[in-house]
Amino acid sequence: MRDLDETDMKILSLLAEDARRPFSSIGEEVDLSGPAVSDRVKRLEESDIINGFTIDVNRAQLRAGVPVFIQAEIGSESLEPACKQARESDGVEHVFTTSEGDLWFYARVEAHNVRQWMNGLFDEINIADYTVTLIDAMEWTPSVDGAEFALTCAECNNTVDTEGETTRIDGEVYHFCCPSCLARFEDRYQRLEEGV
Amino acid sequence: MRDLDETDMKILSLLAEDARRPFSSIGEEVDLSGPAVSDRVKRLEESDIINGFTIDVNRAQLRAGVPVFIQAEIGSESLEPACKQARESDGVEHVFTTSEGDLWFYARVEAHNVRQWMNGLFDEINIADYTVTLIDAMEWTPSVDGAEFALTCAECNNTVDTEGETTRIDGEVYHFCCPSCLARFEDRYQRLEEGV
DNA sequence: AATGAAAGGATTAAGCC
DNA sequence: GGCTTAATCCTTTCATT
């Protein structure tokens, strides 16, 4: 795959500002034709760089329960399923996994009893302990600073440039800076699979 | 202003799933014509319920520094400016204010020294203490559960229905369940202004 | 990646309840 | 006020170079 160039960054920024902006109008800003922008956007979607087009909803004006931030300690074998469950649950908006293997998330709870809600949420998952913090305000900044964007190698974290490689493994897209990193990653991945 | 009805909720959900979906196609799902959907979306934008159309970018694949979650204790008089500063800073993506007056945020730090980065970020603001947690993965679910949506009164937090009022004060849109709440809010607001 | 033709969507205006 | 339909204009898509 091609590296993300300046033009791609600019397109990402413009779409982040207004996702419904016509491709032809974006094209005028980046000196490209409408179809050319369309092609690039399609590529960005296929590379899983654009996850999707969405709206920024002012949730503060909408009743959606009590906003809470939950920090849960979870056994490492349950982290993955717990994460999935949180993600798919209504009201959960942001899910973080810390490097220590804890699961943190922001949610809006309609139940009157958070403990009850948590029990229902993580039905068959064992949670050692968790803390609940009430949130007063929450803001999300979709703004995209073009300069901060570049692809990173899934193996070594270096910047991926024109020489890079892209592969899809189990439906997920990964980028690599060089064939060695790709090979190493595939190796690790396979061993992981076999281990399971 | 009209209450947000079931149809508006459905439109919000559909746009959250795909903000570029044609209005006419949305119209088919909610049994409305294209122009009618367009009108409703325009109203949702004018009421500041839709902040904007944007993209969900897979930041994990883009180099944007080390993902961290920072929990900072801040004196109550500095909370507002600190919040603003965080929000406007590059790399800061989610900002939470806890009910205890702490400032929490998720950011991607490019600097090699987080402490240095923090000092630069909050230049003239006094921060009592903060903790930094490394984040492995972060996911955001823009999905909107229609059922959980309703306007809330800015004064009493009750649901705003058809009888509600909407006003713009200093460029911000506020919704109220009744004229009394509007009056009370305006009163409080004015006293606040005069106090400053 | 540009072009041009064809298909499809957005917006406007007129009219209805 | 909010809806629909029809006309117009604009945008996207696709085939071609």
Side-chain angles (χ1 to χ4, degrees):
Chain A
M1 196 201 81
R2 267 248 326 284
D3 182 26
L4 290 196
D5 61 18
E6 275 301 307
T7 307
D8 290 315
M9 304 303 175
K10 192 90 183 278
I11 291 174
L12 284 176
S13 294
L14 293 171
L15 283 174
E17 269 171 42
D18 179 9
R20 278 190 86 91
R21 183 165 179 181
F23 291 157
S24 47
S25 153
I26 293 175
E28 279 172 27
E29 275 210 40
V30 299
D31 292 318
L32 240 57
S33 67
V37 174
S38 172
D39 280 354
R40 276 168 184 262
V41 171
K42 197 175 285 165
R43 224 185 43 227
L44 289 167
E45 286 188 81
E46 279 164 2
S47 318
D48 286 356
I49 288 169
I50 294 178
N51 284 335
F53 302 90
T54 187
I55 45 173
D56 179 11
V57 176
N58 188 345
R59 288 172 160 85
Q61 294 205 359
L62 300 168
R63 185 186 51 189
V66 183
V68 292
F69 198 95
I70 291 174
Q71 300 169 281
E73 264 180 55
I74 292 175
S76 59
E77 64 307 315
S78 314
L79 183 60
E80 194 50 54
C83 198
K84 187 160 181 286
Q85 205 132 16
R87 221 185 306 127
E88 288 171 0
S89 151
D90 270 4
V92 176
E93 286 172 21
H94 305 262
V95 181
F96 305 89
T97 321
T98 75
S99 59
E100 275 154 36
D102 291 341
L103 179 68
W104 292 9
F105 58 93
Y106 171 76
R108 289 175 171 270
V109 185
E110 287 216 67
H112 294 98
N113 185 327
V114 176
R115 216 145 277 273
Q116 214 164 36
W117 180 78
M118 280 290 281
N119 282 338
L121 184 56
F122 299 109
D123 203 9
E124 292 173 0
I125 293 165
N126 188 32
I127 293 180
D129 195 19
Y130 62 90
T131 65
V132 179
T133 307
L134 273 176
I135 299 294
D136 264 8
M138 130 81 197
E139 222 163 331
W140 163 59
T141 55
S143 86
V144 170
D145 181 349
E148 84 189 54
F149 271 174
L151 277 179
T152 42
C153 177
E155 180 67 25
C156 74
N157 272 320
N158 278 345
T159 306
V160 175
D161 65 9
T162 330
E163 319 283 284
E165 312 238 342
T166 298
T167 319
R168 194 178 281 269
I169 303 174
D170 273 353
E172 287 284 315
V173 174
Y174 299 94
H175 306 280
F176 302 94
C177 64
C178 58
S180 331
C181 274
L182 166 58
R184 257 176 92 177
F185 185 91
E186 279 180 325
D187 231 53
R188 269 203 308 140
Y189 195 90
Q190 201 165 3
R191 276 207 304 278
L192 209 78
E193 286 272 276
E194 283 165 1
V196 174
Chain B
M1 196 200 80
R2 268 248 326 283
D3 182 27
L4 288 195
D5 61 17
E6 275 301 308
T7 307
D8 291 314
M9 305 302 176
K10 194 95 181 274
I11 292 174
L12 283 175
S13 294
L14 294 170
L15 283 175
E17 268 171 43
D18 179 9
R20 279 189 85 93
R21 184 165 178 182
F23 289 156
S24 47
S25 153
I26 292 174
E28 278 172 28
E29 290 226 15
V30 299
D31 292 319
L32 239 58
S33 66
V37 173
S38 174
D39 279 355
R40 276 167 182 263
V41 170
K42 199 175 286 167
R43 225 184 37 230
L44 288 167
E45 287 188 82
E46 280 164 3
S47 318
D48 285 358
I49 288 168
I50 294 179
N51 284 335
F53 301 91
T54 187
I55 44 173
D56 179 12
V57 176
N58 187 344
R59 287 173 160 84
Q61 294 205 0
L62 301 168
R63 184 187 51 189
V66 182
V68 293
F69 197 95
I70 291 174
Q71 299 168 282
E73 264 179 56
I74 292 176
S76 60
E77 65 305 319
S78 313
L79 182 60
E80 195 48 53
C83 198
K84 186 162 183 285
Q85 205 133 14
R87 221 185 305 128
E88 288 171 1
S89 151
D90 270 6
V92 175
E93 286 171 23
H94 305 269
V95 181
F96 305 89
T97 322
T98 74
S99 60
E100 277 154 37
D102 292 341
L103 179 68
W104 292 10
F105 59 93
Y106 171 76
R108 291 177 169 268
V109 185
E110 288 215 67
H112 294 98
N113 184 328
V114 177
R115 216 146 276 273
Q116 215 164 35
W117 180 78
M118 279 290 282
N119 282 338
L121 184 56
F122 298 109
D123 203 9
E124 293 173 1
I125 293 166
N126 189 33
I127 293 179
D129 197 18
Y130 62 90
T131 65
V132 179
T133 308
L134 273 176
I135 299 294
D136 265 8
M138 130 80 197
E139 222 162 330
W140 165 59
T141 55
S143 87
V144 170
D145 182 348
E148 83 187 54
F149 270 173
L151 276 181
T152 41
C153 177
E155 180 66 27
C156 74
N157 273 322
N158 278 344
T159 307
V160 176
D161 65 10
T162 330
E163 318 283 286
E165 311 238 345
T166 299
T167 318
R168 194 178 281 269
I169 303 174
D170 273 353
E172 287 283 316
V173 174
Y174 300 94
H175 305 281
F176 303 93
C177 64
C178 59
S180 332
C181 274
L182 167 57
R184 255 175 94 177
F185 186 90
E186 280 182 326
D187 231 52
R188 269 205 307 139
Y189 196 91
Q190 201 166 2
R191 275 209 302 280
L192 209 77
E193 286 271 277
E194 283 163 2
V196 171

